[in-house]
Amino acid sequence: WFQHDPEQGMLVELHSLSKAELNGRLGECTAYVPSKERWAVQLLNADASPSQSIAVKPGNLRRAPPADAADLAFTAAEKAISILSNMRSEPSGRYSEADIERVHMLFDEAEKHDWANVSVHQGRGDLAMRLQTAITSRVPTARWRRCPSS
């Protein structure tokens, strides 16, 4: 991978930090703090979920390797698709708003790391179809009165 000036939203790898346990961790640059001359970096857990936020000098950040970005995208998309599968298998057709929000958040996370990820686009389409089916199945059917014959 190549060295690049950090920018907001960039997936980065931390290096050369005094806290050695943070070296090699991945995170997302969320904002530059001029008064501290550091980037606010939201660290990511192994499952691509956000962790703590720390301030890091630009010299201690480098663009994350593409393979890591693709792995994070795949992990997030896979989790979202798993939630969708559980929703699909629910016999009552019920789903929670929290599940829907979690799926959207995971797809957003996957897109951030790999915007061309086919799984993300397929999963979003699947979610839209699932929601449409759930919405239309909840709408009461119109009761038509039979017109008296003349």
Side-chain angles (χ1 to χ4, degrees):
W1 67 100
F2 58 95
Q3 187 65 30
H4 191 278
D5 289 336
E7 53 190 55
Q8 189 167 348
M10 180 183 285
L11 183 65
V12 294
E13 180 180 10
L14 284 59
H15 68 90
S16 306
L17 296 169
S18 57
K19 288 187 178 180
E21 68 274 9
L22 293 176
N23 290 326
R25 290 279 308 267
L26 299 178
E28 178 188 345
C29 291
T30 56
Y32 183 71
V33 183
S35 61
K36 293 184 177 184
E37 296 183 345
R38 284 167 171 63
W39 277 92
V41 176
Q42 180 79 48
L43 296 178
L44 300 175
N45 292 319
D47 67 356
S49 63
S51 179
Q52 70 188 57
S53 186
I54 61 172
V56 183
K57 292 180 187 177
N60 295 107
L61 301 171
R62 63 179 158 227
R63 182 181 292 271
D68 288 341
D71 285 348
L72 287 172
F74 180 78
T75 300
E78 191 174 51
K79 281 182 149 188
I81 290 167
S82 174
I83 293 170
L84 282 173
S85 294
N86 290 338
M87 288 170 54
R88 206 179 293 120
S89 65
E90 180 62 36
S92 67
R94 295 179 187 257
Y95 56 88
S96 73
E97 291 300 318
D99 283 342
I100 300 299
E101 188 58 35
R102 178 86 174 128
V103 168
H104 280 297
M105 192 239 5
L106 286 164
F107 281 140
D108 289 344
E109 190 67 29
E111 271 185 328
K112 247 190 314 194
H113 300 307
D114 187 5
W115 60 268
N117 190 314
V118 174
S119 298
V120 173
H121 301 296
Q122 288 175 341
R124 282 199 191 278
D126 190 26
L127 175 62
M129 287 181 3
R130 175 69 179 157
L131 290 176
Q132 185 60 39
T133 301
I135 290 167
T136 56
S137 67
R138 290 185 183 163
V139 175
T141 55
R143 295 184 184 202
W144 298 95
R145 287 191 353 223
R146 187 171 181 180
C147 296
S149 51
S150 34

